[in-house]
Amino acid sequence: MNEQVEKIISAGIDIGTSTTKLVISELSLRNVAGGGQVPKIEITDKKILYRSPIFRTPLLSDTVIDIPAIHRLVENEYSHAGITMEHIQTGAVIITGETATKQNAEEMVHQLSQAAGEFLVAAAGPDLEGIIAAKGSGAYQHSIETRKTIANIDIGGGTANIAVYRTGILCGTCTLNIGGRLVVWEGKKMKVAPSIRKWLKSIGYSPFNADGAMIANEMAKVLSRFLANSFTKEDELLLVGKVPSWTGRIEGLMFSGGVSDCIYHEERVDKSFRDIGMMLADSIKENEELAAWEWEHPTETVRATVLGAGSHTTEISGATIEVNDSHLPIRNIPVYRLDFEGVLENGIERLKQSVQDAITIYDALQEGLNFAFYLTNLPYLSFRDIQLLAATFTEALKQKPDQQQPLIIVMDSDYGKVLGQTFMANRPDLPVICIDQTQVEHGDYLDIGRLLQTGVVPVVVKTLTFHN
């Protein structure tokens, strides 16, 4: 393979509680392996081609998203950027904050992901939001450069998504019902979101006559306690999902999202929202516990999540892969993890039961729903080992109700091509998609794009969670 660079176009679309944004990026792919080595294609450069203005998220009511308006918005912004959906080869449509609770959230994000580009994936879920925002804000990169533990707090209209990175490694995530649009004014009447009413009552305030500045102050205190891992039972009423999963001390804070624009760039904030966004920003700046941490300046604030969606959701497979391109792209394939623990016999013995377990989890009604197998911690494999693995796997797959659907295998080692070709020799009728140099986890969802000129495929690993 020569050293030519392949460029692909990526789109990020973020539909949040308060605002909707779009960004178009250009990703450069290059072989970074030395001469004579197995090719290793990586994204070596990311260039922002277009940033949309920040739009109010169009809603038909408190519980319903205006899907046609979202479609028109995206079409208009593509036109302003000088591209069409045919140009888009990867990226993500993400739905964040309180918007993920709307009645038609799942319908909207799947419709848009298919209408906005050939391989534009649908993604939602508070953990993923926090991770993407931390990459878009610069917190992830800052943790690598400084070798520090950095918490990125992305505060939008409905949630605060926290992701903690230590020297580029994700330590954990946490999402809280803390945001600028959780308290709004309609005329002189204050309206408190249902997601924080129970918490307000627990700390002795009525949701119907509480003071906005007081609520903002209490939210800042809760945030400081979660970051210090000293939160109370009352604080847990603001949790979305699980408790913080990081251990050890956080050394620096970085803020992103709409409320961070009020923290860092107060002079350019839209003051017409009539919510507690500005009050929350002031409370965070004035909180003594938060001030005790070192504050880092983000490279992006309100656009952190959409930049992360456009530039940081895509990974690149290894070059030693075997794919049937006529079955690509594929979207939203759940992953079943099979850990060999460094011993081939361990995995071989469990293969039949593992296939049965995967069917039980992902295709309980025997409808032929597909899923991917993630083979991890494989030992060194000889050609004979590869043949044994493929033969045992082929036999175990006879349990699947649909024998003609593609076999999708993901590995973190470099056996993709040889294993894929061995499967094809055993079952010439079976479409095989076998990719390597990719790390996923049990329960993740996988999207795989079409084969690129460099002989690799774009891969997006994500969660899909539309919370109630």
Side-chain angles (χ1 to χ4, degrees), residues 220-236:
K221 292 175 187 176
V222 171
L223 180 60
S224 71
R225 289 194 288 268
F226 271 99
L227 290 167
N229 257 323
S230 61
F231 51 90
T232 67
K233 276 289 181 190
E234 289 77 19
D235 295 342
E236 288 187 40

Side-chain angles (χ1 to χ4, degrees), residues 406-425:
L407 169 62
I408 305 165
I409 292 181
V410 186
M411 291 179 285
D412 47 12
S413 47
D414 285 324
Y415 295 113
K417 183 171 283 293
V418 65
L419 183 60
Q421 289 179 342
T422 307
F423 270 116
M424 290 165 62

Side-chain angles (χ1 to χ4, degrees), residues 290-304:
L290 291 173
W293 275 288
E294 187 176 335
W295 284 36
E296 312 292 349
H297 205 284
T299 55
E300 291 289 341
T301 52
V302 68
R303 287 186 174 88

Side-chain angles (χ1 to χ4, degrees), residues 212 318 397:
L397 289 169

Side-chain angles (χ1 to χ4, degrees), residues 359-381:
I359 293 169
T360 301
I361 294 170
Y362 296 123
D363 191 18
L365 299 179
Q366 299 276 307
E367 297 172 297
L369 302 177
N370 209 359
F371 46 85
F373 292 97
Y374 176 46
L375 312 187
T376 186
N377 292 321
L378 282 162
Y380 169 80
L381 299 179

Side-chain angles (χ1 to χ4, degrees), residues 349-399:
E349 289 173 4
R350 299 199 308 269
L351 262 173
K352 185 174 182 180
Q353 186 60 49
S354 294
V355 172
Q356 182 58 59
D357 291 346
I359 293 169
T360 301
I361 294 170
Y362 296 123
D363 191 18
L365 299 179
Q366 299 276 307
E367 297 172 297
L369 302 177
N370 209 359
F371 46 85
F373 292 97
Y374 176 46
L375 312 187
T376 186
N377 292 321
L378 282 162
Y380 169 80
L381 299 179
S382 67
F383 183 61
R384 183 170 291 180
D385 293 334
I386 292 282
Q387 289 180 309
L388 175 62
L389 175 58
T392 310
F393 220 139
T394 301
E395 185 64 29
L397 289 169
K398 290 180 179 177
Q399 301 172 87

